[in-house]
Amino acid sequence: MPLRLILIGPPGVGKGTQAALIEQRTGAKPLSSGVIFRAEIDAETDLGQLAKRYIDHGELVPNGVTIQMMLKRIRSQEVRSHGFVLDGFPRTVRQAEALTEELENIQVTIDAVVSLEVPEDVIVDRLSGRMGCTKCGEIYHSTNKPPKREGICDKCNSPLFVREDDKPDTVRERLRVFRDNTKPVIDYYETLGRLRHIDADRPADQVYQDIVDGLV
Ligand code: AP5
């Protein structure tokens, strides 16, 4: 059976890192709303221009366009047959309700909703050292996971970049937005009895193991 997971957690907790590990080891496709928005920004589409106005300030992109963009991908046959790992969506209760309704309509069941949790000072450290590959998206960290050659991706030799929204002021705003808008999503899944809490303040492989161990 294809794996279907939702990863929830604050900025920098390691959602993208875990989604990549899960894809490598199970084949389930990462569906990251942030990655999709950044691709739209790079391609200078109308959606990208709209999203950039919010992302650069650490604010949420409006629910309507975000829900439409993500549900379209969840409906796709490729994603449904390989399974998926949602990373960064849903991020508001309105998005969570829309997702629940869509999954019921297409008769898809989620295997687990995982809340990744670390203290706020760890988040600030993780984001201040993060670098990503401009081509394949591999995620690095200056001390926790440095590339073999400075500024170059180990996997595809492309240059690494630092995200605009990882500036300290924007990170503070993203944390505020998480507390106000996304913590209620955690409560939403808790109430539905679907949530697992995972301590993500450990090496990425151990966090991965906890996620998959809880699936059996
Ligand atoms: P998005 O791209 O989703 O950003 P985010 O949720 O803030 O999460 P990040 O990508 O910053 O962190 P992550 O948890 O994936 O951590 P990572 O694995 O990189 O969203 C960006 C923006 O888009 C939002 O602010 C918003 O404007 C908009 N947006 C997106 N979705 C939206 C939605 N649904 N609705 C409305 N707007 C939306 O790890 C971080 C660092 O830590 C890395 O350097 C990594 O190497 C390191 N690390 C990871 N795990 C570990 C570990 N276990 N130990 C040590 N280091 C680790």
Side-chain angles (χ1 to χ4, degrees), residues 9-18 32-35 37-38 51 54-56 58-63 66 70 87-92 95 126-127 129-131 139-142 144-145 163 165-166 174 200-205 207:
V13 74
K15 301 181 296 296
T17 298
Q18 292 304 320
S32 160
S33 40
V35 168
F37 282 135
R38 284 187 288 281
Y54 296 90
I55 291 176
D56 281 354
E59 303 296 335
L60 294 182
V61 180
N63 277 329
T66 304
M70 294 305 289
D87 155 11
F89 179 88
R91 229 177 173 99
T92 65
Q95 291 179 13
R126 286 187 183 179
L127 291 181
R130 173 165 62 183
M131 296 162 280
I139 304 166
Y140 296 88
H141 187 277
S142 51
N144 302 336
K145 190 189 167 193
R163 270 170 51 175
D165 61 347
D166 280 349
R174 285 162 63 199
D201 189 12
R202 292 169 306 141
D205 274 332
V207 177

Side-chain angles (χ1 to χ4, degrees), residues 8-54:
I8 305 182
V13 74
K15 301 181 296 296
T17 298
Q18 292 304 320
L21 285 176
I22 293 166
E23 182 184 29
Q24 279 162 24
R25 297 171 190 186
T26 73
K29 295 282 165 211
L31 278 183
S32 160
S33 40
V35 168
I36 298 168
F37 282 135
R38 284 187 288 281
E40 296 281 341
I41 291 171
D42 289 346
E44 297 182 355
T45 63
D46 290 346
L47 174 58
Q49 282 171 15
L50 172 84
K52 187 170 167 37
R53 295 209 292 270
Y54 296 90

Side-chain angles (χ1 to χ4, degrees), residues 124-140:
V124 173
D125 173 63
R126 286 187 183 179
L127 291 181
S128 62
R130 173 165 62 183
M131 296 162 280
C133 176
T134 46
K135 191 169 175 206
C136 73
E138 183 73 4
I139 304 166
Y140 296 88

Side-chain angles (χ1 to χ4, degrees), residues 142-154:
S142 51
T143 49
N144 302 336
K145 190 189 167 193
K148 292 193 181 83
R149 281 179 298 155
E150 198 180 324
I152 303 289
C153 179
D154 296 347

Side-chain angles (χ1 to χ4, degrees), residues 114-130:
V114 173
S115 167
L116 296 175
E117 297 166 4
V118 299
E120 222 165 276
D121 57 329
V122 176
I123 287 174
V124 173
D125 173 63
R126 286 187 183 179
L127 291 181
S128 62
R130 173 165 62 183

